[in-house]
Amino acid sequence: MSYRVNIKGHGELFLESNTTLLDLIGDRDPERKIIAARVNNRTRELTYELRGDSEVEFLTVSDPEAMKLYEACLRYIVAMAFDRVYPNLKIRFAYNVSRCVSIHILNPEVSANTNMLIRINHEIEEIIKADYRLVRKVVPNEEAAEIFRERGFEDKISLLKYRPEKTVHLYECDGYLNYMYHHMVPSTGYITSYKLRLYTPGLLLQYPRAENKGQIPEFKDAPTFGRTLKESHDWAKIVGSDQVARINETIETRGDIEFINICEARHNRQLCELGQLIEDDIDDIALICVAGPSSSGKTTFANRLRIELLSRGIHPVRISLDDYYLPKDQYPLNDEGKPDYESIEALDIALFNQNMVDLINGEEVQLPKYDFQLGKQVPGRTLRLGRNEPIIIEGIHALNERMTSDIPKNKKFKIFISPQAQINLDDHNPLSLTDLRLIRRIVRDNQFRGSSAEETLAMWPSVRAGEFRWIYDNQEGSDYVFNSMLSYELPVLRKYAMPLLKAIDMDSPYYPAAARLLSMLKFFTPIDEKWVPSNSLMREFIGGSCYADV
């Protein structure tokens, strides 16, 4: 009996027998730009076999989910290259500066050098040129544990006991075996676009990005960001939160209360450090600028910073950038011809600078208040600042020099806030920093706005585009980076996030993203949120914050 296959952008055809996606592609993709497909709204490998009526969409690295597949395959090839050239070295992948994957050498006293770069790069090219097949094997967990043990993958064995499934999908490639918790391309020849560079003491791996239209972004070093990531990983190793299995083991051995309080203590320490830096220079600091990407915890952080400064005899005043929006009819338009609310051009930059300068000079100023129903500014509170009364501003443009161009740099203290997670499933599989914030936002939007996970996923690409355009380029000019990561948060958030993600119908275009997030959350041992302090940054997402009415 024949069945119908509708290929997006190519029309319908009828098939009489089971057919793989590779057969369906045929010779229409000689450059192998297609690396996966969406079949009936589920991401599938190209070796997947069609057996009935199907809606098919071929995917390239311009698709976010396909890009993640490409990156996982590239990590596989790099790990394979190290296994061939340096079989005694252990490596760890992590997300790093300039949207790269970093390669850390775990062996003590061994650092990457130019010779290592040349040899590994040559071996990667040879593996790609050989076009070895990637063959999927399904084995019971017990057998997988034996395979991992033979290859020294103790980190993978530790995670197996938290895997709800009874089988593991391994991939074999010319005798090499590994598992990247992801679909794979049919063969190594599909992975041709990458850049490997020396980044002492390790290496950096660049790859095509969906948000960059499938191209490798220009490399931009970010030493402040990189230093924060290193500090995050060093701390995670100390407290046992650098890998999912270790987080679960820490919960089991220390208990929920102790683990939560250890993580909260780190936030307290950062706030203390920050408070001391501001206090030491308070005679010069007039403006404290706070910015970070979506779901970084900026609101709670600003409240806690205010309390920290009050304890030091400093009385900050918070002013919202939202009150400086221009009238709606003056908003710039985005590429789709719609008002661009995230553009700095949507704000009255001149008025903001004038108000800040006047306040710093000790003058009385009537601030605007933006009436979102009227779509324009109305008169707000009148304010005059005294001694030790710095202004705290918070928003996506707070670190942008244009926003505060009339204020001398020595009068500004800039703070960048973001969860800089350095958590891995195992050494070869890091968790995405972006996915962490996305899960935070899914939970928060549902708790406080009644939004479904599907609605949050729908707006996430535009949120990310705004972050790349307006936030990340300004983080390197900050005076302090506050790492808002709480290592216990995914065990807490899974209780809220998993039902929301499971509620997304398989027919939804956001089902593949939901399935990917679920596949990550399932590994975490849950924690009861009742022990999370009321002033915790985590309360901004799950509710119960003591700052809710502030």
Side-chain angles (χ1 to χ4, degrees):
M1 180 181 288
S2 67
Y3 59 94
R4 180 186 66 86
V5 176
N6 181 40
I7 306 174
K8 186 174 181 179
H10 297 279
E12 286 186 345
L13 67 149
F14 291 87
L15 301 174
E16 298 292 336
S17 59
N18 297 347
T19 304
T20 67
L21 291 167
L22 276 174
D23 291 335
L24 205 60
I25 293 170
D27 58 2
R28 74 175 75 206
D29 183 36
E31 296 182 9
R32 291 183 171 181
K33 292 186 179 298
I34 297 172
I35 58 171
R38 199 167 286 130
V39 180
N40 296 332
N41 215 30
R42 296 189 67 178
T43 304
R44 298 293 190 183
E45 296 175 331
L46 295 182
T47 53
Y48 178 77
E49 194 173 74
L50 302 174
R51 301 184 178 186
D53 291 352
S54 303
E55 297 290 326
V56 176
E57 179 184 1
F58 291 126
L59 304 176
T60 69
V61 286
S62 296
D63 177 86
E65 294 302 316
M67 179 202 74
K68 294 178 189 301
L69 179 151
Y70 188 99
E71 182 238 316
C73 295
L74 181 56
R75 279 189 277 112
Y76 183 104
I77 291 172
V78 172
M80 180 177 173
F82 265 93
D83 184 71
R84 290 184 164 197
V85 179
Y86 299 103
N88 296 322
L89 291 187
K90 286 187 175 293
I91 62 170
R92 174 182 177 271
F93 294 111
Y95 293 110
N96 212 297
V97 300
S98 196
R99 293 177 271 180
C100 297
V101 169
S102 59
I103 305 165
H104 301 274
I105 314 299
L106 299 182
N107 300 59
E109 310 305 322
V110 178
S111 296
N113 53 34
T114 303
N115 182 58
M116 180 183 287
L117 172 69
I118 293 170
R119 291 188 66 187
I120 289 297
N121 203 46
H122 175 75
E123 189 61 31
I124 292 170
E125 290 174 352
E126 289 297 305
I127 292 170
I128 291 170
K129 182 180 177 181
D131 198 22
Y132 297 122
R133 289 180 62 215
L134 282 151
V135 182
R136 186 161 161 265
K137 299 178 181 293
V138 181
V139 300
N141 288 356
E142 296 77 12
E143 185 179 338
E146 285 303 313
I147 292 171
F148 293 154
R149 191 169 289 110
E150 289 173 5
R151 285 157 176 76
F153 293 159
E154 298 298 326
D155 51 313
K156 293 184 186 292
I157 296 172
S158 299
L159 190 62
L160 274 178
K161 68 177 180 177
Y162 301 107
R163 181 177 174 83
E165 296 85 2
K166 301 300 181 184
T167 58
V168 174
H169 295 183
L170 297 173
Y171 286 84
E172 187 271 332
C173 182
D174 194 40
Y176 178 74
L177 277 167
N178 206 336
Y179 178 41
M180 311 307 276
Y181 303 90
H182 218 294
H183 294 305
M184 293 275 124
V185 291
S187 60
T188 57
Y190 281 76
I191 306 300
T192 56
S193 182
Y194 75 94
K195 290 181 182 178
L196 191 67
R197 63 173 62 230
L198 193 63
Y199 198 75
T200 305
L203 302 169
L204 279 185
L205 184 64
Q206 292 180 274
Y207 57 96
R209 300 285 302 199
E211 70 274 4
N212 208 49
K213 298 181 180 179
Q215 301 299 310
I216 296 176
E218 175 189 358
F219 179 77
K220 295 180 181 179
D221 199 5
T224 301
F225 179 49
R227 185 169 61 251
T228 305
L229 290 175
K230 182 181 183 304
E231 291 170 357
S232 178
H233 181 242
D234 290 345
W235 182 84
K237 285 177 66 177
I238 291 170
V239 299
S241 62
D242 57 325
Q243 292 187 352
V244 175
R246 292 192 70 199
I247 288 175
N248 293 341
E249 290 163 3
T250 300
I251 294 169
E252 292 163 6
T253 56
R254 293 183 182 273
D256 297 3
I257 298 173
E258 187 167 309
F259 187 42
I260 288 171
N261 280 295
I262 287 172
C263 298
E264 291 292 340
R266 185 163 185 260
H267 274 195
N268 295 338
R269 189 178 70 193
Q270 287 185 85
L271 283 161
C272 183
E273 291 173 353
L274 189 48
Q276 189 64 55
L277 288 170
I278 294 172
E279 182 182 2
D280 289 345
D281 201 23
I282 192 58
D283 289 339
D284 278 334
I285 295 172
L287 197 60
I288 300 171
C289 311
V290 181
S294 174
S295 301
S296 292
K298 294 183 288 293
T299 302
T300 301
F301 168 76
N303 278 307
R304 290 191 64 177
L305 176 60
R306 177 176 171 273
I307 297 298
E308 175 66 32
L309 295 178
L310 285 172
S311 75
R312 298 170 180 272
I314 300 168
H315 301 269
V317 176
R318 290 184 64 184
I319 293 178
S320 174
L321 287 178
D322 287 351
D323 288 326
Y324 287 86
Y325 271 113
L326 292 165
K328 282 185 177 180
D329 60 0
Q330 295 182 34
Y331 286 2
L333 302 180
N334 60 23
D335 293 339
E336 298 174 355
K338 297 178 180 179
D340 188 350
Y341 304 102
E342 294 187 335
S343 170
I344 194 171
E345 306 298 342
L347 297 169
D348 193 335
I349 300 172
L351 178 61
F352 181 79
N353 273 276
Q354 179 187 328
N355 284 173
M356 296 305 104
V357 169
D358 290 345
L359 285 170
I360 291 168
N361 289 336
E363 298 179 25
E364 185 175 272
V365 175
Q366 183 172 53
L367 301 173
K369 182 173 180 58
Y370 198 83
D371 187 316
F372 284 90
Q373 288 187 329
L374 295 176
K376 64 178 183 179
Q377 296 173 10
V378 297
R381 58 181 166 152
T382 299
L383 187 64
R384 185 195 298 272
L385 299 181
R387 188 175 181 274
N388 285 358
E389 289 187 344
I391 302 163
I392 295 179
I393 62 167
E394 173 256 307
I396 64 172
H397 300 297
L399 300 187
N400 192 318
E401 272 299 311
R402 283 188 61 201
M403 201 70 231
T404 56
S405 58
D406 291 349
I407 299 159
K409 289 187 177 182
N410 68 306
K411 293 290 183 183
K412 293 178 281 194
F413 190 93
K414 295 184 175 184
I415 304 168
F416 183 82
I417 174 174
S418 181
Q420 313 291 18
Q422 287 286 272
I423 302 173
N424 282 44
L425 284 169
D426 57 46
D427 287 338
H428 294 165
N429 293 279
L431 297 187
S432 164
L433 284 72
T434 304
D435 282 347
L436 169 65
R437 290 191 295 109
L438 176 55
I439 290 169
R440 281 182 171 187
R441 179 146 182 169
I442 286 170
V443 172
R444 186 196 67 189
D445 285 359
N446 180 259
Q447 289 286 101
F448 300 106
R449 301 174 185 174
S451 302
S452 66
E454 192 169 14
E455 289 171 317
T456 301
L457 287 167
M459 66 188 302
W460 191 243
S462 65
V463 171
R464 290 285 288 152
E467 291 170 353
F468 284 117
R469 186 177 181 188
W470 301 114
I471 295 177
Y472 292 126
D473 284 347
N474 295 308
Q475 66 179 306
E476 284 301 305
S478 58
D479 298 291
Y480 192 93
V481 177
F482 187 91
N483 185 353
S484 66
M485 173 66 188
L486 289 160
S487 297
Y488 71 78
E489 66 181 79
L490 288 173
V492 169
L493 289 170
R494 62 162 281 167
K495 165 187 170 181
Y496 296 89
M498 290 185 79
L500 298 174
L501 293 166
K502 288 178 179 178
I504 295 179
D505 191 270
M506 287 182 63
D507 293 333
S508 167
Y510 307 104
Y511 179 82
R516 176 174 52 78
L517 295 174
L518 283 166
S519 69
M520 174 184 70
L521 286 169
K522 70 183 180 184
F523 285 103
F524 287 91
T525 296
I527 283 182
D528 192 329
E529 78 278 6
K530 68 182 178 182
W531 304 118
V532 177
S534 64
N535 70 338
S536 171
L537 187 142
M538 187 48 39
R539 291 289 176 186
E540 185 170 322
F541 305 99
I542 64 175
S545 173
C546 62
Y547 301 117
D549 298 322
V550 175

